[in-house]
Amino acid sequence: MKKPVIFSILILLFPFVLKSQIINKEPLSERITGYEIDARLDPVEKTITGIMEAFWVNKSSDIIPDIQMHLYMNAFRSSKTTFYRELRGFPGYKDSGFGWIDIKSFTGGAGTDLIPLIQYISPDDGNPEDRTVIKVSLPKVARPGDTVFIKVIFETKLPSRIIRTGYNDDFFFVAQWFPKFGVYEPAGMRYAIKGGWNCHQFHAESEFYSDHSVYDVKITVPKEYVVGSGGMLIDELDSDPEGKNKTLTYRAEDIVDFAWTAWPGYAVFTDQWKHVNITLLLPEERIEQVDRQFTAVKNALEYLTKNVGPFPWPHLTFVDPPAKGSGSGGMEYTTLFTSESADKIPDWRHLPEMVTVHEFGHAYFMGILASNEFEEPWMDEGMNSFWEARIMDHYYGENSGRIDHPMLKISDKSTDRMNYVRSEKRQLVSNNEYSWNYPDGAYGIMSYYKASTWLYTLMGIIGEETTNEIFREYYKKWAFKHPCGKDFINVVNEVVTKIHGDKFGPDMNWFFEQTLYGTGICDYKVAEIMNRKSEISQDNIRTGNVPDSSLSNPDSLFTAVARIERIGEVALPVDVLIHFSNGDEVLETWDGKNRFKDFNYHRSRKILWVKIDPEFRIRMDVNYINNSMTLDPDRIIVRRLTNNIITLMQFFISFFTF
Amino acid sequence: MKIIRALKSGALRALKVWKGVLIVWFCYLLLVSLVAIPMKGALKAGFGQSMITEMLRDGINVEVFSDLGAILTNLIAYFSSGLFLLLLFGILMNAFLTGGLFDSLKGISVKFSSAEFFRASARNFWSFLVITLLINIIILFLTVFIIGITAAITMQSYNDSGTTSFLAVIVAAIILLSVIIILILVADYARAWQVAKEKPACFKALGFGSNRTFRTFLSSFPMMLMLISVQVLFAWLVLKILGSWKPLTTGGVFLLFLMSQFLFFIRILLKTWRYGSVTSLKEKNDLLTDAQGSSNI
Ligand SMILES: [Zn+2]
């Protein structure tokens, strides 16, 4: 008879669980999982050997016969893994030297060997070559409240071409490197109809969905290596008498993943924002960018704290990887993230700032608000891109969040909109697909850009302060939990009706049905402006369509009509600004439900021009050019452009004909 | 001193042939307008009766252009093929017109005559065309070669911190610029020799050009470097002016047009100054070599 694996009482025997809070006074999340890992980097073999003790608590009321865990480094094990298959077509994917994670020993709480009970499963695509998820049958089922303890000895070999994780020469970025629990979802949580593990394979486009955990990690590396991690450094000791290696002890609480980096070439800088100690690691060559980087991360901290919720950790580390580690750039591990830059990058190009703001933002969208990146990437990348754009345009100029050159300015929000609007794949699928179900190239357009653009549109309709209030409420309700799309929509409905009553209807579902769940596009158009001399009919007088004053001069009476059309499938309410010959301006609104709408006026004035959505609030509109019409188009700009084209062409030929 | 004298003489000669410069300017305007005017029409049609152009008042707005959609794609295709055609016709036109310019620049006391300008243009056309094409091909080949080597070095240094790549790019740029300056010098000497001989012999001319370039390198190269620097500086100035001057009235745009064309006229004048200076330096050295009796070209 096998010894029981599960002992609720045994919890007391695991020292790391006993450790009281170190970073924050109170836990921010429910203690469902915890990890204590002793890891050693072998910089020659490019391996990490680790001893891990971990626990998972059955917080549900289900009786659970097994656990499921990620072994994500196995995504690099062969070219037949799901990750590699999905990567097909990516430049350089073939050059990657393989990587893997080998389980040397896997025992239960009382030392029971669980290796015979391990089974590789591929819940997403049934790919037998994919070994990124294991199911471990428990010798004894986990009853509600039970804690499952495991001890795993593993060896992780890093891949040679860094795709998020890996090594190049003496540069190491170590992510997805240890066995990690999936999320057990009882019935009613997110979309679960009955209880079960949510433990997806490693995919080309998504990798995050985990419970918030406590991490105690010891990392042993050669002494010359500079290490950065998502934990708070507790201790640093020589690990051998010759003083060749050092062991760093890190503690992290309430984060969804633990990653680290080691490279002898890092220069280390620190700064402070309110309660947050910020550490930046970057190559010596980029020391002149230190201020830019700190300013960017502090901007993001300030903006998200004010408009979403507090950043609860007192520590934050970010890394600008060197050129040889560029494959690890632009990644997010909550209290550790990587930016992206180059040695010489002009001030007007806000690339390092943008990546820093974006990756930091993931601390909120997916880190604190731990949505499922596999199943609802829009809640992760989309929401985060929306906030990235707001932050960048707020701090670096409404029109110059991305590029701020005297000759060219590009805002961050317009980059998102252009990417969505100009994509041929914008209508292929809805914005609510599993990450790996998007056809080639559509993942980015949908998850980042379409989502960001419709979030901007939502903000355009309900207002900026209401939007911020929604996200504050979303944070209050769902921080350190696992929200899903419908949870977010419920928050939107609640806040919008609380602030605006039924101004937008009983709820905002009509908006999400069209934008998030629909595949239609939004396009409004001014179809026509008509000004006709009008006859004053008895009808007009009776219906009051003729103002008294105009009766005195019937010759100057006009029937003026502005016809607005909805070309796209998406019907959203829009403002229409109408300008008349006498200088009057009327702001009308249209619910957009029909295919067209005529605005009629009978007065002694003609319509001169019409603008739909004059403030550009409906950023989903795929064509702004047809949003306005004037009887007297301004050709000056076209003439100016032509002049510049002529001159540039003249100089161009003259340059090449010496 | 020799350089200063050549530059001064070159400037005087260029000013004297201002009518020739005017002819060149007009031909360029005509040629470019053939491509630019239809583009203007397409832009006008693309924006139609829209008021979106308001958003272009302060300069380029990529979002507005992006919304042109298929029209933009067509415009870009038209622009690139237009540019290619312009370059082709530009080379032909330039081979023709520089014949006249170089001819009017030679000697010191000849009065400018447009009839003589065009006669010389026609006389030197084929020879000048071959010189331009050959030098262009060499420049193209060397550019590709140097960029290729730089790219290889940059790739190799992927494992370094990045300083190597940066240095490689700087060194490559300096080498490329120097090579281009030398090649232009060869072309200018060749053309100056050609008009002096009054019979087409382009390969002989190129032989003279390279010979003279290297024999008088210490005076020719610095002079050319100065002339090219002035031209580059001027081009930068023009870009600055065009980039910052954004008139919003019909009158303002017309003024901008006049200014742009005046600037382009100056640009051709500067080029003519270069031709004149090289011609002058060549003639000075001709006298010297004649005096020494060692000229056998
Ligand atoms: Zn992201």
Side-chain angles (χ1 to χ4, degrees):
Chain A
M1 196 186 127
K2 280 191 175 137
K3 288 177 195 163
V5 191
I6 301 135
F7 307 86
S8 301
I9 288 166
L10 255 186
I11 202 166
L12 298 171
L13 299 177
F14 279 77
F16 67 96
V17 182
L18 260 183
K19 271 182 197 161
S20 55
Q21 291 292 116
I22 292 179
I23 296 173
N24 283 314
K25 278 198 191 100
E26 297 295 327
L28 302 167
S29 57
E30 226 181 348
R31 289 283 168 264
I32 300 173
T33 50
Y35 303 84
E36 187 180 71
I37 309 173
D38 195 340
R40 174 178 281 268
L41 171 74
D42 183 334
V44 180
E45 295 299 319
K46 319 295 182 192
T47 56
I48 294 121
T49 44
I51 303 170
M52 176 180 101
E53 290 181 43
F55 71 84
W56 168 75
V57 186
N58 181 3
K59 295 276 183 185
S60 76
S61 53
D62 302 344
I63 296 166
I64 303 167
D66 52 30
I67 53 170
Q68 288 189 13
M69 300 190 86
H70 304 288
L71 294 184
Y72 276 168
M73 199 53 86
N74 278 341
F76 300 88
R77 191 174 270 276
S78 79
S79 56
K80 291 174 179 156
T81 63
T82 297
F83 172 70
Y84 270 114
R85 284 183 179 177
E86 290 173 354
L87 267 190
R88 204 153 295 167
F90 271 61
Y93 83 101
K94 277 182 185 153
D95 311 340
S96 186
F98 294 120
W100 57 81
I101 175 167
D102 278 340
I103 304 291
K104 305 283 183 193
S105 144
F106 197 118
T107 50
T112 329
D113 179 14
L114 299 182
I115 285 192
L117 302 173
I118 294 176
Q119 190 193 343
Y120 286 95
I121 56 169
S122 305
D124 300 339
D125 62 358
N127 176 6
E129 304 285 342
D130 195 78
R131 305 179 77 179
T132 56
V133 178
I134 52 168
K135 180 166 108 175
V136 187
S137 303
L138 297 171
K140 195 182 158 202
V141 293
R143 296 188 175 280
D146 280 351
T147 301
V148 175
F149 292 98
I150 54 165
K151 182 172 177 178
V152 186
I153 300 172
F154 63 91
E155 185 182 72
T156 293
K157 159 75 175 54
L158 295 165
S160 72
R161 189 184 180 92
I162 307 174
I163 307 177
R164 298 179 221 158
T165 182
Y167 76 90
N168 185 358
D169 191 21
D170 57 351
F171 175 89
F172 295 88
F173 200 92
V174 188
Q176 308 297 5
W177 57 289
F178 62 95
K180 197 163 88 173
F181 290 107
V183 176
Y184 187 84
E185 296 186 335
M189 177 179 168
R190 297 179 68 256
Y191 301 103
I193 295 163
K194 57 184 177 60
W197 284 94
N198 193 303
C199 193
H200 290 288
Q201 292 160 246
F202 194 73
H203 290 276
E205 305 282 18
S206 53
E207 58 186 309
F208 296 115
Y209 184 48
S210 293
D211 284 319
H212 298 93
S213 304
V214 180
Y215 290 91
D216 285 290
V217 183
K218 281 192 166 66
I219 298 169
T220 302
V221 289
K223 215 153 186 191
E224 67 274 18
Y225 276 77
V226 180
V227 177
S229 87
M232 201 162 88
L233 185 65
I234 302 291
D235 195 17
E236 180 171 345
L237 288 171
D238 282 354
S239 48
D240 46 42
E242 307 90 68
K244 275 187 183 161
N245 295 295
K246 61 183 176 185
T247 299
L248 305 148
T249 306
Y250 290 99
R251 165 82 173 185
E253 292 167 7
D254 308 292
I255 59 173
V256 291
D257 199 6
F258 188 96
W260 53 284
T261 177
W263 181 47
Y266 281 128
V268 183
F269 293 86
T270 54
D271 202 344
Q272 179 95 26
W273 182 84
K274 291 189 177 166
H275 64 289
V276 189
N277 293 305
I278 314 168
T279 307
L280 167 63
L281 309 185
L282 82 177
E284 298 272 354
E285 291 74 23
R286 298 184 196 162
I287 285 176
E288 74 262 29
Q289 293 174 35
V290 167
D291 284 345
R292 287 175 68 174
Q293 288 284 15
F294 276 126
T295 305
V297 77
K298 286 197 248 176
N299 287 342
L301 267 161
E302 179 180 79
Y303 202 82
L304 288 168
T305 301
K306 181 170 171 250
N307 297 312
V308 180
F311 181 80
W313 298 276
H315 63 98
L316 173 66
T317 300
F318 71 121
V319 180
D320 176 14
K324 64 175 162 186
S326 58
S328 64
M331 280 308 297
E332 65 273 20
Y333 306 93
T334 309
T335 41
L336 169 77
F337 69 85
T338 56
S339 183
E340 197 180 308
S341 188
D343 288 356
K344 309 276 170 216
I345 201 150
D347 283 347
W348 54 264
R349 205 175 151 216
H350 299 149
L351 172 80
E353 288 90 346
M354 185 272 285
V355 183
T356 291
V357 165
H358 180 95
E359 305 310 335
F360 171 78
H362 278 302
Y364 286 76
F365 303 104
M366 184 279 290
I368 296 169
L369 296 146
S371 50
N372 188 324
E373 194 198 13
F374 301 90
E375 297 180 5
E376 293 177 302
W378 68 270
M379 296 185 74
D380 180 306
E381 295 298 359
M383 279 189 191
N384 193 38
S385 296
F386 169 68
W387 283 94
E388 166 215 309
R390 288 187 64 189
I391 295 168
M392 290 306 292
D393 292 347
H394 177 81
Y395 289 97
Y396 299 92
E398 267 323 304
N399 296 314
S400 49
R402 277 289 181 95
I403 295 211
D404 190 6
H405 189 271
M407 303 274 235
L408 182 69
K409 296 187 190 303
I410 302 180
S411 69
D412 199 318
K413 60 178 167 298
S414 61
T415 319
D416 287 2
R417 178 176 167 267
M418 284 187 290
N419 279 327
Y420 157 60
V421 163
R422 287 276 69 81
S423 168
E424 286 175 359
K425 300 189 168 100
R426 66 188 186 193
Q427 288 191 267
L428 274 188
V429 281
S430 88
N431 208 166
N432 189 47
E433 296 291 328
Y434 282 15
S435 74
W436 61 91
N437 283 342
Y438 284 104
D440 271 356
Y443 166 82
I445 288 137
M446 287 292 156
S447 305
Y448 289 72
Y449 307 125
K450 182 179 175 185
S452 165
T453 306
W454 65 248
L455 278 163
Y456 258 103
T457 305
L458 178 66
M459 181 162 78
I461 295 170
I462 61 177
E464 187 173 334
E465 204 23 61
T466 307
T467 308
N468 293 343
E469 199 46 43
I470 285 168
F471 277 91
R472 283 185 210 117
E473 192 60 28
Y474 179 50
Y475 183 100
K476 248 182 248 162
K477 274 212 166 107
W478 290 101
F480 298 102
K481 295 188 184 99
H482 297 299
C484 68
K486 67 175 169 40
D487 299 321
F488 176 73
I489 294 170
N490 286 340
V491 172
V492 172
N493 289 339
E494 219 170 87
V495 174
V496 170
T497 46
K498 198 175 90 194
I499 295 178
H500 298 283
D502 60 359
K503 183 180 169 192
F504 302 106
D507 55 47
M508 295 295 288
N509 293 350
W510 55 269
F511 178 84
F512 293 99
E513 272 151 26
Q514 301 183 83
T515 56
L516 167 61
Y517 301 110
T519 55
I521 55 155
C522 175
D523 193 5
Y524 286 99
K525 170 184 167 181
V526 182
E528 224 175 341
I529 296 174
M530 288 168 282
N531 293 300
R532 277 195 310 269
K533 276 243 163 83
S534 65
E535 308 285 311
I536 309 168
S537 68
Q538 288 307 308
D539 272 1
N540 281 347
I541 295 167
R542 212 171 29 245
T543 54
N545 253 338
V546 180
D548 292 342
S549 59
S550 54
L551 280 170
S552 57
N553 184 9
D555 275 354
S556 64
L557 257 189
F558 287 95
T559 298
V561 184
R563 174 167 296 169
I564 315 299
E565 273 181 33
R566 174 170 64 78
I567 313 175
E569 300 84 1
V570 173
L572 301 173
V574 279
D575 289 340
V576 181
L577 183 64
I578 300 169
H579 183 93
F580 295 90
S581 50
N582 62 352
D584 287 357
E585 273 182 11
V586 181
L587 186 68
E588 306 271 11
T589 52
W590 179 36
D591 60 17
K593 281 185 180 139
N594 293 329
R595 276 291 176 172
F596 82 98
K597 164 89 181 165
D598 283 347
F599 291 101
N600 293 289
Y601 306 91
H602 305 280
R603 275 194 163 191
S604 51
R605 55 184 190 182
K606 293 187 203 170
I607 294 175
L608 287 191
W609 55 254
V610 179
K611 280 183 188 175
I612 302 172
D613 187 24
E615 309 265 328
F616 300 100
R617 291 201 183 121
I618 309 294
R619 294 195 57 80
M620 277 195 85
D621 193 312
V622 296
N623 185 1
Y624 282 161
I625 295 173
N626 62 13
N627 277 26
S628 56
M629 182 182 273
T630 171
L631 295 183
D632 177 25
D634 177 7
R635 299 293 180 217
I636 286 166
I637 304 295
V638 172
R639 276 184 217 134
R640 197 174 80 192
L641 264 168
T642 312
N643 174 74
N644 290 0
I645 290 172
I646 289 180
T647 315
L648 287 175
M649 279 177 160
Q650 282 174 323
F651 271 83
F652 172 79
I653 326 174
S654 147
F655 178 76
F656 280 99
T657 48
F658 50 88
Chain B
M1 230 24 232
K2 205 164 158 191
I3 299 176
I4 306 282
R5 242 180 283 135
L7 286 172
K8 212 170 134 189
S9 160
L12 284 173
R13 290 172 195 223
L15 286 173
K16 240 172 55 191
V17 301
W18 66 272
K19 279 182 191 157
V21 176
L22 208 65
I23 293 171
V24 176
W25 162 79
F26 182 72
C27 292
Y28 268 96
L29 181 62
L30 210 68
L31 180 68
V32 166
S33 300
L34 290 179
V35 175
I37 300 299
M39 265 188 93
K40 183 186 173 187
L43 266 176
K44 238 165 91 177
F47 290 125
Q49 283 178 276
S50 177
M51 297 166 82
I52 198 75
T53 44
E54 285 175 350
M55 286 173 79
L56 298 172
R57 284 166 170 261
D58 301 328
I60 300 292
N61 181 317
V62 282
E63 216 173 341
V64 171
F65 283 97
S66 146
D67 279 8
L68 280 171
I71 295 174
L72 181 74
T73 324
N74 292 340
L75 264 176
I76 290 172
Y78 177 79
F79 185 76
S80 3
S81 50
L83 220 51
F84 179 73
L85 280 175
L86 274 183
L87 201 60
L88 221 67
F89 281 102
I91 288 174
L92 291 175
M93 193 181 80
N94 192 63
F96 181 76
L97 295 172
T98 40
L101 271 183
F102 265 102
D103 191 71
S104 347
L105 286 166
K106 74 181 178 189
I108 14 173
S109 55
V110 191
K111 205 167 171 268
F112 181 84
S113 128
S114 39
E116 185 47 41
F117 178 91
F118 284 114
R119 257 199 298 279
S121 292
R123 191 168 57 234
N124 295 310
F125 175 69
W126 288 109
S127 177
F128 271 41
L129 185 64
V130 174
I131 292 172
T132 323
L133 283 178
L134 269 176
I135 296 286
N136 258 325
I137 288 167
I138 296 172
I139 289 180
L140 193 75
F141 176 75
L142 282 172
T143 308
V144 170
F145 180 71
I146 290 172
I147 288 177
I149 287 189
T150 318
I153 294 173
T154 315
M155 298 280 211
Q156 286 264 303
S157 63
Y158 177 65
N159 280 349
D160 293 339
S161 50
T163 322
T164 326
S165 341
F166 185 67
L167 262 169
V169 170
I170 295 284
V171 170
I174 290 174
I175 292 176
L176 193 63
L177 271 175
S178 314
V179 169
I180 289 177
I181 289 177
I182 292 169
L183 284 167
I184 292 178
L185 205 46
V186 171
D188 283 359
Y189 270 132
R191 289 182 286 187
W193 181 87
Q194 170 72 77
V195 291
K197 289 292 159 194
E198 294 204 355
K199 59 173 189 245
C202 51
F203 293 105
K204 251 188 173 171
L206 277 169
F208 172 84
S210 40
N211 189 316
R212 188 49 74 81
T213 300
F214 290 105
R215 260 185 33 211
T216 62
F217 193 77
L218 286 181
S219 52
S220 302
F221 188 81
M223 185 182 82
M224 194 49 115
L225 188 68
M226 274 171 68
L227 286 162
I228 297 276
S229 304
V230 170
Q231 291 188 17
V232 168
L233 225 72
F234 181 74
W236 175 81
L237 188 81
V238 171
L239 267 182
K240 279 270 155 194
I241 292 173
L242 288 186
S244 54
W245 189 5
K246 290 153 189 162
L248 293 171
T249 58
T250 312
V253 172
F254 185 63
L255 216 62
L256 174 69
F257 173 73
L258 290 183
M259 181 63 166
S260 308
Q261 291 312 311
F262 174 70
L263 287 171
F264 187 63
F265 176 80
I266 297 290
R267 149 82 190 159
I268 302 168
L269 200 64
L270 287 177
K271 225 171 162 183
T272 313
W273 177 34
R274 194 187 91 208
Y275 299 159
S277 303
V278 172
T279 307
S280 159
L281 195 63
K282 174 195 162 283
E283 285 170 2
K284 292 243 161 58
N285 286 322
D286 283 349
L287 286 175
L288 267 174
T289 40
D290 281 353
Q292 285 161 2
S294 64
S295 171
N296 54 1
I297 298 172

